[in-house]
Amino acid sequence: MKWFPQGRRRTEAPRRQPRVAAVVSTKVEFGELTPETLPFLGQAAYIQLELFENLARAMATAPTLADKASLSTAARFTLRKHHRLAEEIRALDEEPAVVMAPFAPAIDAFRAATTGATWHELMITNLITAGMLDDFFISLSGSLPDGVGSRVAAILSRRPRTDVVADALAVAIVADPQLASPLAMWGRRLVGDTLLVARSALRDANARGPVDESIEPAFTDLIAAHTRRMDSLGLTA
Amino acid sequence: MKWFPQGRRRTEAPRRQPRVAAVVSTKVEFGELTPETLPFLGQAAYIQLELFENLARAMATAPTLADKASLSTAARFTLRKHHRLAEEIRALDEEPAVVMAPFAPAIDAFRAATTGATWHELMITNLITAGMLDDFFISLSGSLPDGVGSRVAAILSRRPRTDVVADALAVAIVADPQLASPLAMWGRRLVGDTLLVARSALRDANARGPVDESIEPAFTDLIAAHTRRMDSLGLTA
């Protein structure tokens, strides 16, 4: 129960392992903390829209045309996730904008707080927030009813063949090693805010009490995957 | 030969006809004005990136969540066009960013000049510039060699089932008829700049001489389609 708000457990993850798509490995049963399906879909769909908006902003300010072009692949994958989740909402005879609306203020505030001051910080944000939130919603989807859970997991698991965000960051950090320390610090700042968003997806999250011990492994996995992402860039998580 | 720079021939198009996807109807043979395939693909691909950037900006500043969500469909279609064109470039063993680069300064300047001062102006820009440039590049593609021309035409012809940009504008103008006059004026301003971009795609366009009479119907079609788009919004082209 120490994961929150004290935050990050870390260092258990092996260091310097090759970059891999982070996958939540522990099957966690969220039980009565599992959100209802529609709010889950609404929040997940809106998060993808906001993740997209950060990617689009990074495209608009990309230092090179090659960066802009490769980011466009990540942007398109994120839009596709949004659209597939919106289709799930429509399949339940609801309007996506209506179902997403309750989540907009908090997620907008989250995005505003995590945009960063530089393109490289924004890129770390793109890497970390998308990675952690996709992982967490995949994990949560395992407790949703029947088909919808596995469809959501499939939707959120689709990634471009190459992680263009991580690759662009890796190139930038190799070219300018001075970036490493401030970007590592920025990455640490992001974790707390991102865990708050993840936690807000749980049913009755507003109670803000300690989270049930049984689901702690889900958060431990998030932190471990985060650490691997940072490690792969040579950044201390 | 009056189409340029005096601009728009208009009023021939029937008024108040239902909104339809504008299709260039006249088969024009561009002959020796046809660009080489690679520069054509590079310019077309970069234009889609910039059209996307305007859509992403409109999403970021959308007045409602419903507008944001529906614009995301247009954004995704535009990114898909960019990616398919980039694939055509890669199929010729070239790197898209390299082939696009020569066109970036002029298209960036075009976008900066046509962003508009308000969300509604930006939306008119999204409607008009995408419509005219897609139409023109489809028309030009008819003079490209063999398969690539028809593939490009297919790529650029794909549109969402509903024109979300036109629909959002139509709703806004009905809700606030005061918008009509300034938006009509903005639409007229866009035509000249957009025709300049279209013209720049022609081989030896920099010569800036009068355009050969034989291809004038292509521009006449662009203006006619533009007039239909504006008409469908109740705006005078």
Side-chain angles (χ1 to χ4, degrees):
Chain A
M1 299 229 279
K2 301 192 200 77
W3 72 269
F4 203 89
Q6 298 91 330
R8 314 174 302 276
R9 286 228 207 129
R10 54 179 199 245
T11 71
E12 296 85 359
R15 297 251 151 187
R16 303 281 158 219
Q17 70 179 33
R19 180 161 66 250
V20 288
V23 172
V24 174
S25 51
T26 315
K27 169 74 178 168
V28 176
E29 186 50 66
F30 284 89
E32 61 187 16
L33 295 172
T34 309
E36 290 182 73
T37 299
L38 261 178
F40 172 95
L41 292 172
Q43 188 175 21
Y46 194 73
I47 284 173
Q48 294 301 324
L49 260 192
E50 295 299 288
L51 294 174
F52 163 78
E53 211 154 303
N54 273 344
L55 285 166
R57 187 182 302 222
M59 283 179 66
T61 56
T64 72
L65 183 42
D67 286 324
K68 187 196 291 260
S70 61
L71 279 171
S72 72
T73 302
R76 192 168 140 215
F77 268 77
T78 304
L79 275 183
R80 181 187 286 150
K81 290 179 187 178
H82 166 74
H83 289 139
R84 295 275 188 277
L85 293 167
E87 283 165 17
E88 292 289 334
I89 294 171
R90 282 201 196 87
L92 297 170
D93 285 328
E94 299 285 344
E95 189 51 46
V98 172
V99 179
M100 292 190 290
F103 302 100
I107 307 294
D108 289 350
F110 167 65
R111 188 166 63 76
T114 58
T115 299
T118 67
W119 186 75
H120 293 104
E121 285 188 358
L122 176 56
M123 289 288 281
I124 291 280
T125 300
N126 286 329
L127 182 71
I128 299 307
T129 59
M132 292 184 75
L133 292 174
D134 280 357
D135 281 354
F136 187 71
F137 277 80
I138 290 170
S139 178
L140 252 186
S141 71
S143 299
L144 291 184
D146 302 7
V148 66
S150 56
R151 287 196 302 275
V152 166
I155 289 166
L156 292 178
S157 298
R158 280 199 65 177
R159 296 165 204 266
R161 254 166 299 167
T162 56
D163 187 335
V164 293
V165 174
D167 285 357
L169 276 167
V171 168
I173 291 168
V174 166
D176 180 4
Q178 304 267 40
L179 286 170
S181 168
L183 290 184
M185 195 178 309
W186 178 247
R188 288 193 286 276
R189 276 192 49 190
L190 292 172
V191 172
D193 283 347
T194 310
L195 285 177
L196 272 172
V197 172
R199 190 186 183 182
S200 75
L202 299 176
R203 194 191 288 243
D204 297 326
N206 289 331
R208 284 289 145 88
V211 163
D212 191 287
E213 215 167 291
S214 64
I215 68 161
E216 209 194 313
F219 291 93
T220 306
D221 279 349
L222 285 193
I223 305 298
H226 168 70
T227 303
R228 285 195 298 274
R229 274 183 211 103
M230 296 294 274
D231 278 351
S232 71
L233 295 175
L235 303 178
T236 310
Chain B
M1 298 232 277
K2 301 192 199 78
W3 71 269
F4 203 89
Q6 298 90 331
R8 315 175 301 279
R9 286 227 206 131
R10 56 182 199 243
T11 72
E12 296 85 1
R15 298 251 149 187
R16 303 280 158 221
Q17 70 179 32
R19 181 161 65 251
V20 286
V23 172
V24 174
S25 51
T26 315
K27 168 73 179 169
V28 177
E29 188 48 67
F30 286 89
E32 60 187 16
L33 295 171
T34 308
E36 290 181 73
T37 300
L38 262 178
F40 172 95
L41 292 171
Q43 188 175 21
Y46 194 73
I47 285 172
Q48 294 301 324
L49 260 192
E50 295 300 288
L51 294 174
F52 163 77
E53 210 155 304
N54 272 344
L55 285 166
R57 188 181 300 223
M59 283 178 66
T61 54
T64 71
L65 183 43
D67 287 323
K68 185 196 292 259
S70 61
L71 279 171
S72 73
T73 302
R76 194 170 137 213
F77 269 76
T78 304
L79 275 184
R80 182 187 286 151
K81 289 180 188 178
H82 165 73
H83 288 139
R84 295 274 188 277
L85 293 168
E87 283 165 17
E88 292 290 332
I89 294 171
R90 283 201 196 86
L92 297 170
D93 286 327
E94 299 285 345
E95 188 52 45
V98 173
V99 180
M100 290 190 292
F103 302 100
I107 308 293
D108 288 351
F110 167 66
R111 189 166 62 78
T114 58
T115 299
T118 66
W119 185 76
H120 293 103
E121 285 187 358
L122 176 56
M123 290 288 281
I124 291 280
T125 300
N126 286 330
L127 182 72
I128 299 307
T129 60
M132 292 184 74
L133 293 174
D134 280 357
D135 282 353
F136 187 71
F137 278 80
I138 291 168
S139 177
L140 252 187
S141 71
S143 298
L144 290 184
D146 301 8
V148 65
S150 56
R151 287 196 303 275
V152 165
I155 289 166
L156 293 178
S157 298
R158 279 199 66 177
R159 295 163 204 268
R161 254 165 300 168
T162 56
D163 186 335
V164 293
V165 174
D167 285 358
L169 276 166
V171 168
I173 292 167
V174 166
D176 180 5
Q178 306 266 39
L179 286 171
S181 169
L183 290 184
M185 195 178 310
W186 178 247
R188 287 192 286 276
R189 277 193 48 190
L190 292 173
V191 172
D193 283 348
T194 310
L195 284 177
L196 272 172
V197 172
R199 190 189 183 179
S200 75
L202 298 177
R203 194 190 288 243
D204 298 327
N206 290 331
R208 283 292 144 88
V211 164
D212 191 288
E213 215 168 291
S214 63
I215 68 161
E216 209 193 315
F219 291 93
T220 307
D221 279 350
L222 285 193
I223 305 297
H226 167 71
T227 303
R228 286 196 296 275
R229 275 184 209 103
M230 297 294 273
D231 278 352
S232 71
L233 297 174
L235 303 179
T236 310

